[in-house]
């Protein structure tokens, strides 16, 4: 029995260690802000959400976006109940964490004790889940939640819950143990197997019988041996009991992680609502490649931090694989690039985005290569570092991926940098990778412009004739200067 | 005559061995080596074989052939070693059990003890068959192993052994069918026959089956100590034996009285003696793993050319290996061709002269007990005795007293040594003037030369290396580029202290040339 709230037919596996290319994505897109808003101080949610956000990046074809959208809509409608489900499963796991710090955990008797104790807690939590299902299942509309509640009611019916509770009582062996043994090399008792005591009466009918060995009260060695025998008997079942408790825990861990992801989404949703931001459920275009329709697309990190009104971008792009973005410094190019990257990630993992409308295709992978802030000098070591990062991406990237460059390879001079840019982007696009490239290398952008490749699109950060920036991005050919002079004037006038 | 021992061939009747280590053991560090080989106290009885040099070429070759078999096959070695271990384990176990059973005291004379004896017998039959079939399948060339193999062939087909095996397996079949139950509650155990009660773990497993995702950890559960309380185990077994299965255990009673001395004495002796070989090879292997080599020397009473190549002081090598400094081990060659009898070793201090003297003595002793010796190849004579005299710092004795003791010791050596003796003398004349030392040294060497003994004479007096005809001069040496570093190589060389002095001089820029230049400045 499984929760299956992330995939209709697949487990949700956490990917704890972010590989290098994802780490880059986190810092380039400033995802930390998003993670923190989603986690709201809960480290489990932080871990799950930061991993779940990328769940659409490996094997994106396995993600049923509609399935998650429906569940997410249910979550928004029934936030308290979803948070309750998270709380129940989280508590189950917290308890386990506390018990398992026993120093003698691996002696059969203490392992047994721990496992039974854990099972008692978990069974209690199973009962709580059943109650939630009984009370609230009618409020949910998504296939995911409906199946989940149905499963709880079917698998955890009254009869089964009763069986569990009886079994847990039995496991304390207050009526003694019945164990079968065989003869070892020198006829010592071996192969202890704990047996079910079929009838309690018959065992003790031989009171004072000649089949009984009594251990004298002060016989310490004898009593130690008795408890050794009990341990040997327990040994035959302790693995099963412990594995059972672990298996139930696996169920709760999965449920915790899946509800943690949606709780993270809820937290994010609440934070965006508080700032008065609009969200929409994006759609993935099933046909064609490299199509985008965004209306009022905002960067989520900024939507979360900035209280002020944001300028969203509204653009429609069809059939381009090389999008070159140029224009004014501080004109919103980087923010635009980030908003595309994050919206793409959120689309692919089945979340909402901060836009009025967002349509895009599904990419095999999402990569970013941003100029690092400290990379402004023209030291060769910096270019080295940039190339090393690029090479790490090249190890991973596959056709059908998308990559966002932000002023990459600018730690060398324009002529050399442009040549690198040209070579890298053409190699990428020719092998089926879609490229967004923010650059201030006029040499690079202009040469592409004069080449007039049909699949290349030029966007430009807008600049009013008075030098004022609108932070809007629209189509436009590359221009010679980046209007740094404007900013200079603004600051020095 | 039938096979009796792997240490001595059938017709070698003088099997006396020494209780104590011979005098030269300490000088040659052979005592350390033997302690190293026999670190297990239970194998102390082997020491006498390490002490006792053999003069019979036939017996030495008898052992060498077996060593050669074992050196050729690690599997053979391990198989025999394991067999020996099992047999001696069973033998000491058997003695304890018989003691308990004969005592007639209720708490010692139990069915548990009887079952132990049965268990040993069972194991004995298996091991004996195993070792025979192993030896039969794997060709060996030594007379000793082939003799043992034939002995086993006869033994295994003997009526006694066949009956032993048959009764054991009959009992085993009966015991293996027994399965009984214990009800454990409070401080009591009630035994009964097993009546097909279902096991408990399947019940739990079924109950939680719906949570089984096939990914459960294989948790490690600590093992329960195997040491039970003897009286509880014996008590339970007594109930099982007398109340549940009396017939079967009555058979055990008669089995035990019939077979309490089940181990064959020749097999028992084999197990002890084969350890002489395995222990030595185990020790040699610990050095061979570090790139050193042991070889089986050619030996004979009269041999024209005596030599050993790439040999080393075993005790020093072991010490360096233990300290992780095996790269510091230096191998040395020696050879005495035709009439050469005496090696005089000279050279700088700390250049490995004493080590060389030791290795020389060691190889003769090791060869004389039939063991492989350190080196890649060697040819050695069988000596009738080894005499050593090493300089020792004994502060209580005055210088005169010391010289007196030293000389009387040398005198007694020269009185008993023969042409077939090996004499190792390590510089002892430091307590006299150079003039006296030279005179005394010459006298001693000429005396040894007359005896015709084989001798290594370590000295700091270069002149001694030319005092008679049958002397080989060997010297320690230093690195030409850094004269403070010794190579620890002892090589055939004319003794000349000058070369070394020139190195030192150059290092301190005190050669004629260099000093002239400096004075100019």
């Amino acid at each position: 029995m499984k929760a299956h709230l992330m995939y209709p037919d697949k487990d949700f596996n956490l990917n704890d260690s972010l590989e290098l290319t994802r780490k880059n994505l986190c810092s380039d897109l400033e995802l930390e802000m998003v993670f923190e808003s989603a986690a709201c101080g809960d480290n489990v949610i932080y871990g799950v959400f930061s991993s779940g956000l990328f769940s659409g990046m490996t094997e994106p074809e396995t993600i049923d976006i509609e399935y998650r959208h429906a569940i997410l809509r249910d979550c928004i409608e029934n936030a308290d109940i979803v948070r309750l489900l998270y709380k129940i499963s989280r508590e189950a796991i917290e308890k386990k964490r506390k018990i398992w710090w026993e120093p003698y955990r691996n002696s059969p008797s203490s392992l047994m004790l721990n496992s039974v104790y854990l099972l008692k807690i978990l069974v209690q939590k199973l009962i709580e889940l059943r109650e939630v299902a009984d009370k609230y299942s009618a409020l949910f509309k998504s296939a995911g939640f409906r199946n989940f509640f149905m499963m709880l009611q079917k698998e955890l019916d009254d009869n089964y819950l009763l069986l569990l509770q009886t079994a847990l009582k039995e496991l304390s062996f207050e009526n003694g143990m019945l164990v079968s043994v065989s003869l070892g090399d020198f006829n010592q008792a071996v192969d202890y197997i704990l047996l079910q005591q079929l009838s309690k009466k018959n065992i003790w009918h031989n009171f004072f019988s000649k089949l009984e060995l009594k251990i004298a009260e002060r016989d310490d060695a004898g009593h130690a041996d008795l408890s050794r025998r009990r341990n040997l008997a327990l040994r035959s079942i302790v693995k099963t009991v412990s594995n059972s408790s672990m298996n139930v825990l696996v169920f709760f861990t999965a449920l915790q992680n899946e509800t943690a992801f949606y709780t993270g989404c809820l937290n994010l949703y609440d934070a965006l609502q508080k700032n008065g931001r609009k969200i929409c459920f994006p759609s993935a275009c099933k046909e064609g490649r490299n199509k985008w329709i965004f209306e009022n697309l905002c960067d989520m990190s900024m939507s979360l931090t900035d209280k002020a009104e944001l300028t969203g971008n509204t653009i429609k792009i069809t059939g381009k694989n090389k999008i070159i973005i140029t224009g004014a410094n501080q004109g919103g190019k980087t923010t635009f690039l980030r908003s595309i990257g994050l919206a793409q990630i959120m689309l692919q993992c089945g979340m909402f985005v901060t836009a009025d409308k967002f349509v895009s295709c599904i990419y095999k992978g999402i990569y970013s290569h941003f100029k690092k802030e400290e990379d402004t000098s023209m030291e060769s070591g910096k270019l080295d570092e940039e190339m090393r990062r690029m090479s790490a991406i090249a190890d991973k990237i596959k056709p059908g991926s998308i990559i966002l460059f932000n002023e990459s390879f600018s730690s060398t001079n324009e002529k050399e940098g442009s040549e690198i840019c040209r070579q890298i982007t053409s190699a990428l696009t020719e092998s089926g990778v879609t490229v967004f490239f923010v650059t201030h290398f006029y040499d690079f952008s202009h040469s592409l412009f004069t080449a007039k490749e049909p699949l290349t699109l030029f966007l430009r950060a807008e600049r009013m004739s008075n030098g004022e920036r609108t932070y809007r991005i629209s189509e436009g050919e590359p221009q010679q200067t980046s209007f740094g002079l404007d900013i200079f004037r603004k600051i020095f006038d | 005559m039938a096979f009796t021992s792997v240490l001595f061939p059938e017709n070698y009747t003088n099997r006396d061995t020494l209780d104590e280590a011979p005098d030269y053991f300490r000088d040659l560090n052979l005592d350390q080596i033997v302690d190293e080989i026999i670190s297990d106290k239970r194998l102390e009885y082997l020491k006498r074989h390490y002490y006792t040099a053999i003069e019979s070429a036939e017996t030495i070759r008898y052992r060498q052939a077996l060593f050669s078999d074992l050196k050729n096959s690690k599997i053979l070695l391990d198989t025999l070693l394991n067999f020996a271990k099992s047999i001696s384990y069973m033998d000491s176990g058997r003695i304890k059990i018989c003691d308990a059973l004969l005592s007639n005291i209720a708490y010692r004379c139990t069915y548990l003890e009887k079952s132990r004896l049965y268990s040993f017998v069972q194991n004995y039959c298996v091991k004996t068959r195993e070792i025979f079939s192993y030896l039969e399948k794997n060709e060996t060339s030594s007379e000793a192993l082939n003799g043992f193999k034939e002995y086993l062939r006869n033994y295994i087909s003997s009526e006694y052994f066949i009956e032993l095996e048959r009764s054991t397996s009959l009992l085993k079949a009966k015991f293996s069918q027994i399965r009984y139950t214990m009800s454990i509650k409070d401080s009591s155990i009630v035994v009964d026959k097993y009546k097909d009660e279902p096991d408990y773990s399947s019940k739990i497993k079924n109950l939680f089956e719906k949570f089984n995702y096939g990914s459960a950890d294989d948790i490690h559960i600590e093992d329960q100590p195997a040491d039970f309380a003897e009286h509880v185990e014996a008590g339970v077994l007594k109930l099982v034996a007398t109340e549940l299965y009396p017939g079967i255990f009555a058979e055990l009673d008669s089995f035990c009285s019939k077979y309490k001395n089940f181990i064959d004495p020749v097999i028992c002796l084999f197990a002890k003696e084969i350890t002489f070989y395995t222990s030595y090879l185990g020790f040699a292997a610990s050095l061979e793993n570090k790139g050193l080599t042991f070889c089986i020397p050619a030996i004979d009473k009269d041999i024209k050319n005596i030599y050993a190549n790439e040999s080393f002081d075993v005790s020093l090598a072991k010490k360096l290996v233990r300290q992780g400094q095996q790269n510091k081990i230096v191998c040395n060659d020696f050879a005495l061709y035709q009439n050469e009898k005496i090696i005089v070793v000279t050279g700088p201090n700390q250049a490995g002269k004493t080590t060389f003297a030791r290795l020389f003595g060691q190889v003769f002793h090791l060869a004389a007990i039939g063991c492989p010796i350190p080196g890649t190849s060697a040819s050695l004579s069988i000596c009738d005795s080894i005499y050593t005299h090493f300089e020792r710092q004994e502060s209580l004795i005055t210088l005169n007293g010391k010289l007196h003791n030293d000389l009387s010791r040398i005198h007694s050596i020269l009185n008993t040594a023969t042409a077939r003796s090996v004499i190792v003398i390590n510089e002892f004349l430091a307590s006299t003037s150079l003039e006296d030392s030279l005179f005394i040294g010459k006298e001693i060497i000429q005396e040894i030369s007359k005896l015709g003994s084989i001798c290594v004479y370590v000295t700091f007096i270069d002149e001694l290396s030319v005092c008679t005809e049958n002397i080989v001069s060997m010297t320690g040496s230093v690195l030409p580029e850094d004269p403070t570093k010794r190579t620890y190589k002892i090589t055939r060389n004319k003794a000349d202290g000058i070369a070394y002095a020139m190195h030192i001089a150059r290092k301190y820029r005190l050669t004629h040339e260099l000093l002239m230049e400096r004075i100019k400045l």
Side-chain angles (χ1 to χ4, degrees):
Chain A
M1 81 183 250
K2 288 176 172 179
H4 280 170
L5 294 174
M6 291 294 276
Y7 302 87
D9 50 5
K10 215 180 92 169
D11 296 345
F12 171 45
N13 292 321
L14 288 189
N15 216 334
D16 299 333
S17 57
L18 284 182
E19 40 146 320
L20 189 70
T21 48
R22 283 191 194 175
K23 262 189 203 150
N24 285 334
L25 212 50
C26 286
S27 71
D28 291 346
L29 303 187
E30 297 195 329
L31 295 182
E32 192 55 34
M33 187 61 62
V34 180
F35 295 157
E36 270 167 20
S37 299
C40 248
D42 183 322
N43 59 352
V44 172
I45 298 179
Y46 185 100
V48 171
F49 187 85
S50 59
S51 169
L53 191 65
F54 295 114
S55 63
M57 284 180 46
T58 45
E59 302 180 339
E61 56 280 0
T62 65
I63 302 246
D64 187 338
I65 292 173
E66 308 295 321
Y67 183 78
R68 289 194 187 174
H69 280 178
I71 289 176
L72 197 47
R73 284 197 176 94
D74 261 347
C75 290
I76 292 171
E77 291 291 307
N78 304 292
D80 289 346
I81 301 163
V82 174
R83 287 177 192 276
L84 178 63
L85 287 174
Y86 171 64
K87 187 172 156 260
I88 292 172
S89 49
R90 173 91 201 261
E91 279 169 359
I93 288 152
E94 283 291 298
K95 292 275 187 190
K96 182 251 168 187
R97 201 166 295 151
K98 277 173 196 152
I99 312 172
W100 241 245
W101 280 102
E102 271 271 353
Y104 303 112
R105 49 176 280 203
N106 285 341
S107 88
S109 59
S110 63
L111 188 58
M112 186 73 187
L113 223 60
N114 280 340
S115 301
V116 171
Y117 179 64
L118 178 61
L119 272 176
K120 282 182 180 160
I121 290 162
L122 295 180
V123 167
Q124 185 51 40
K125 292 291 168 193
L126 287 175
I127 293 171
E128 287 176 31
L129 284 183
R130 220 330 263 299
E131 283 166 1
V132 173
D134 288 352
K135 264 194 209 165
Y136 304 113
S137 63
L139 298 173
F140 288 78
K141 301 183 191 80
S142 64
F145 269 115
R146 293 182 67 83
N147 287 336
F148 172 65
F149 286 129
M150 243 151 66
M151 176 204 68
L152 288 182
Q153 285 170 319
K154 181 173 154 265
E155 298 286 352
L156 305 178
D157 62 9
D158 294 343
N159 182 37
Y160 180 66
L161 291 175
L162 187 69
L163 275 177
L164 285 181
Q165 285 166 307
T166 323
L168 288 180
K169 248 180 236 149
E170 247 177 48
L171 282 171
S172 57
F173 297 104
E174 279 162 9
N175 293 319
M177 293 174 178
L178 180 66
V179 56
S180 81
V181 292
S182 312
L183 296 180
D185 340 328
F186 51 95
N187 293 346
Q188 78 280 33
V190 294
D191 301 336
Y192 281 63
I193 297 169
L194 192 65
L195 303 175
Q196 296 180 36
Q197 306 194 4
L198 292 181
S199 123
K200 277 172 196 155
K201 272 183 245 160
N202 287 343
I203 302 166
W204 301 107
H205 69 127
N206 285 319
F207 236 114
F208 304 116
S209 86
K210 52 186 180 174
L211 289 175
E212 183 178 21
L213 179 73
K214 266 207 168 291
I215 306 296
E217 201 176 323
R218 291 193 179 172
D219 179 2
D220 291 342
H223 282 282
D225 191 79
L226 270 189
S227 60
R228 185 188 66 95
R229 276 162 210 269
R230 286 198 192 90
N231 265 333
L232 281 170
L234 285 180
R235 207 170 198 280
S236 72
I237 63 159
V238 71
K239 222 170 227 180
T240 311
V241 175
S242 162
N243 279 341
S244 299
S245 71
M246 287 311 181
N247 282 339
V248 179
L249 203 67
V250 168
F251 167 78
F252 275 108
T253 309
L255 181 62
Q256 173 200 255
N257 290 345
E258 300 191 2
T259 50
F261 178 76
Y262 289 108
T263 309
C265 293
L266 281 176
N267 290 341
L268 210 52
Y269 176 81
D270 289 349
L272 291 168
Q273 290 294 103
K274 221 169 78 187
N275 283 358
R277 307 299 183 197
K278 280 185 91 175
I279 60 135
C280 74
F281 282 92
S283 48
C285 35
K286 303 253 155 55
E287 282 162 32
R289 293 193 51 211
N290 296 326
K291 277 207 280 194
W292 292 270
I293 303 166
F294 0 113
E295 288 174 15
N296 198 22
L297 173 66
C298 295
D299 177 50
M300 184 168 286
S301 306
M302 282 182 79
S303 308
L304 287 166
T305 46
D306 212 325
K307 300 260 192 249
E309 185 142 339
L310 293 178
T311 318
N313 280 297
T314 301
I315 296 173
K316 205 169 165 180
I317 303 170
T318 314
K320 305 287 183 188
N321 65 1
K322 205 184 281 178
I323 292 98
I324 309 296
I325 303 151
T326 60
N329 277 333
Q330 295 198 355
K333 294 178 307 226
T334 302
T335 306
F336 174 65
L337 200 61
R338 282 194 182 125
S339 67
I340 290 176
L342 187 49
Q344 187 66 40
I345 292 173
M346 296 179 90
L347 162 71
Q348 297 200 185
C349 80
M351 282 182 68
F352 45 73
V353 300
T354 40
D356 293 349
K357 184 174 184 186
F358 185 83
V359 180
S360 175
C361 309
I362 299 298
Y363 289 94
K364 287 239 189 262
I366 303 168
Y367 297 87
S368 66
H369 188 278
F370 279 38
K371 181 190 81 172
K372 301 278 177 203
E373 279 314 309
E374 61 272 29
D375 285 356
T376 41
S377 70
M378 292 223 306
E379 283 174 44
S380 70
K382 302 291 179 192
L383 185 65
D384 227 36
E385 186 275 332
E386 283 196 281
M387 298 304 273
R388 202 178 313 125
R389 253 190 304 136
M390 186 60 220
S391 156
I393 291 171
D395 286 342
K396 299 254 169 194
I397 202 163
K398 303 225 154 45
S401 299
I402 184 169
I403 181 164
L404 313 173
F405 288 103
N406 189 19
E407 299 197 8
S408 297
F409 314 117
S410 54
S411 49
T412 181
N413 65 49
E414 175 151 354
K415 193 157 180 275
E416 281 172 13
S418 296
E419 187 54 26
I420 293 171
C421 293
R422 265 192 297 274
Q423 299 209 6
I424 288 177
T425 47
S426 60
L428 285 169
T429 51
E430 277 161 34
S431 42
V433 174
T434 303
V435 176
F436 276 72
F437 210 128
V438 168
T439 181
H440 63 251
F441 281 157
Y442 182 70
D443 184 352
F444 171 46
S445 51
H446 183 72
S447 67
L448 288 184
F449 188 75
T450 48
K452 296 204 180 336
E453 288 177 45
L455 297 182
T456 310
L457 176 74
F458 295 90
L459 297 178
R460 211 171 66 204
E462 269 180 32
R463 176 178 178 269
M464 314 289 273
S465 48
N466 61 1
E468 194 91 344
R469 282 149 179 76
T470 63
Y471 300 109
R472 253 193 209 101
I473 309 287
S474 54
E475 260 189 75
E477 70 176 272
Q479 287 179 344
Q480 181 92 50
T481 74
S482 281
F483 306 99
L485 207 57
D486 296 337
I487 300 167
F488 175 82
R489 278 203 201 105
K490 197 169 177 179
I491 293 166
F492 285 84
D493 284 356
Chain B
M1 232 174 104
F3 167 90
T4 50
S5 162
V6 285
L7 286 174
F8 301 100
E10 289 164 25
N11 54 8
Y12 188 82
T13 46
N14 175 19
R15 297 184 179 183
D16 295 340
T17 48
L18 299 174
D19 297 331
E20 300 280 335
D23 291 343
Y24 55 87
F25 257 50
R26 191 172 152 203
D27 281 341
L28 297 179
N29 284 352
L30 281 164
D31 50 350
Q32 294 174 23
I33 298 170
V34 170
D35 284 345
E36 195 72 50
I37 295 171
I38 301 177
S39 50
D40 187 341
K41 281 268 174 274
R42 284 171 299 179
L43 300 181
E44 285 281 321
Y45 64 85
L46 282 179
K47 279 195 174 171
R48 53 178 56 250
H49 294 298
Y50 281 103
Y51 296 155
T52 312
I54 306 286
E55 275 187 73
S56 143
E58 197 200 342
T59 303
I60 292 176
R61 289 201 194 99
Y62 184 75
R63 294 184 185 182
Q64 285 184 338
L66 179 44
F67 267 119
S68 163
D69 270 346
L70 297 175
K71 259 176 97 68
N72 287 339
S73 166
K74 178 89 175 75
I75 304 172
L76 175 66
L77 174 78
D78 291 341
T79 310
L80 290 177
L81 179 59
N82 288 335
F83 176 70
K85 277 183 184 161
S86 314
I87 294 292
S88 32
Y89 175 72
M90 288 176 216
D91 192 42
S92 55
R94 181 192 69 82
I95 291 167
K96 266 189 234 156
I97 294 168
C98 289
D99 194 37
L101 294 184
L102 286 174
S103 74
N104 257 335
I105 306 170
Y107 70 85
R108 291 188 67 199
C109 180
T110 62
Y111 276 109
L112 200 57
E113 288 291 12
K114 288 175 187 168
S115 302
R116 283 193 178 110
L117 187 73
Y118 143 79
S119 159
F120 280 137
V121 174
Q122 191 189 335
N123 200 18
Y124 171 74
C125 293
V126 171
K127 296 288 179 201
T128 306
R129 263 205 189 280
E130 266 176 17
I131 197 74
F132 175 66
S133 76
Y134 179 83
L135 287 174
E136 200 169 44
K137 274 187 211 125
N138 296 275
E139 187 119 346
T140 52
S141 50
S142 63
E143 190 192 336
L145 278 186
N146 290 339
F148 181 59
K149 185 186 347 185
E150 287 317 307
Y151 181 85
L152 282 177
R153 189 191 306 282
N154 287 331
Y155 176 69
I156 279 178
S157 51
S158 72
E159 211 169 295
Y160 175 83
F161 187 77
I162 290 169
E163 180 57 26
L164 187 69
E165 264 189 329
R166 203 184 59 86
S167 344
T168 315
S169 57
L170 273 178
L171 263 184
K172 187 184 176 171
K174 290 181 178 164
F175 286 141
S176 66
Q177 281 170 4
I178 294 178
R179 191 176 170 192
Y180 66 95
T181 63
M182 291 188 282
S183 283
I184 306 172
K185 194 185 178 192
D186 303 330
S187 58
S188 118
I189 299 174
V190 176
V191 300
D192 200 351
K193 289 188 177 174
Y194 173 64
K195 291 169 188 143
D196 289 324
E197 294 93 339
D199 74 300
Y200 201 94
S201 78
S202 60
K203 180 178 171 180
I204 300 288
K205 208 172 171 205
N206 290 337
L207 189 60
F208 288 97
E209 191 53 36
K210 60 182 64 175
F211 291 99
N212 183 4
Y213 309 113
S215 62
D217 297 350
D218 193 19
I219 44 163
H220 171 76
I221 301 165
E222 84 186 13
D223 284 324
Q224 285 305 293
D227 49 332
F228 43 74
E230 181 81 14
H231 67 288
V232 178
E233 195 67 58
V236 169
L237 189 61
K238 189 181 175 188
L239 292 178
V240 174
T242 53
E243 305 298 332
L244 300 182
Y245 300 97
I248 298 177
F249 281 84
E251 285 176 44
L252 178 62
D253 283 331
S254 55
F255 179 90
C256 285
S257 52
K258 194 167 173 191
Y259 294 119
K260 53 183 178 289
N261 294 318
F262 61 93
I263 299 181
D264 182 77
V266 171
I267 293 178
C268 197
L269 184 67
F270 172 84
K272 284 187 170 162
E273 290 185 341
I274 197 70
T275 325
F276 173 78
Y277 296 88
T278 55
S279 60
Y280 187 82
L281 288 177
F283 170 79
S286 72
L287 296 174
E288 285 177 320
N289 289 339
K290 305 295 178 188
L292 295 166
T293 309
F294 280 75
C295 68
I296 291 170
I299 48 115
D300 216 327
K301 285 224 153 86
D302 296 299
I303 211 157
K304 272 205 174 135
N305 297 325
I306 290 171
Y307 65 85
N309 293 321
E310 297 286 298
S311 193
F312 51 90
D313 174 352
V314 183
S315 64
L316 180 65
K318 185 67 193 177
K319 190 173 145 202
L320 289 172
V321 163
R322 197 182 300 118
Q323 293 168 350
Q325 299 180 312
Q326 54 265 19
N327 53 330
K328 287 195 179 165
I329 299 169
V330 175
C331 293
N332 272 303
D333 305 343
F334 65 79
L336 291 165
Y337 299 120
Q338 307 290 344
N339 294 324
E340 294 170 345
K341 292 285 183 189
I342 300 170
I343 298 175
V344 173
V345 187
T346 55
N349 285 334
Q350 305 292 322
K353 294 186 308 234
T354 305
T355 301
F356 177 83
R358 273 204 193 100
L359 86 81
F360 188 86
Q362 283 171 9
V363 296
F364 274 93
H365 178 76
L366 293 175
I369 57 173
C371 288
I373 64 154
T376 51
S377 59
S379 172
L380 300 170
S381 58
I382 299 172
C383 53
D384 59 2
S385 190
I386 297 173
Y387 301 97
T388 58
H389 185 74
F390 277 47
E391 166 107 352
R392 284 193 198 128
Q393 300 296 329
E394 282 160 290
S395 55
L396 283 176
I397 301 169
T398 60
L399 286 184
N400 271 338
K402 179 172 150 49
L403 183 63
H404 180 263
N405 285 355
D406 286 339
L407 287 177
S408 43
R409 164 93 184 117
I410 297 281
H411 181 71
S412 74
I413 290 175
L414 295 182
N415 274 344
T416 43
T418 71
R420 290 188 37 243
S421 302
V422 169
I423 302 173
V424 183
I425 295 174
N426 193 7
E427 48 193 352
F428 70 99
L429 292 166
S431 52
T432 58
S433 70
L434 181 63
E435 213 170 71
D436 289 357
S437 300
L438 182 57
F439 176 79
I440 298 170
K442 262 186 189 165
E443 287 293 311
I444 291 170
I445 289 176
Q446 279 162 2
E447 196 61 35
I448 294 171
S449 171
K450 260 185 244 161
L451 282 171
S453 307
I454 290 162
C455 171
V456 163
Y457 195 102
V458 175
T459 175
F460 65 100
I461 306 166
D462 290 347
E463 285 87 338
L464 289 183
S465 67
V466 289
C467 66
T468 62
E469 278 181 354
N470 48 11
I471 285 182
V472 175
S473 168
M474 294 182 82
T475 60
S477 52
V478 292
L479 284 177
E481 60 273 20
D482 182 356
T484 57
K485 294 230 166 66
R486 271 70 171 169
T487 62
Y488 302 109
K489 277 275 181 201
I490 308 289
T491 48
R492 269 181 179 245
N493 233 330
K494 233 180 98 188
D496 62 355
I498 296 162
Y500 177 64
M502 288 302 291
H503 286 304
I504 298 282
R506 202 165 293 126
K507 188 180 176 190
Y508 291 101
R509 298 176 60 225
L510 293 172
T511 58
H512 175 79
E513 223 174 317
L514 290 168
L515 189 57
M516 288 281 284
E517 280 173 23
R518 288 165 87 178
I519 293 170
K520 261 184 218 163
L521 287 169

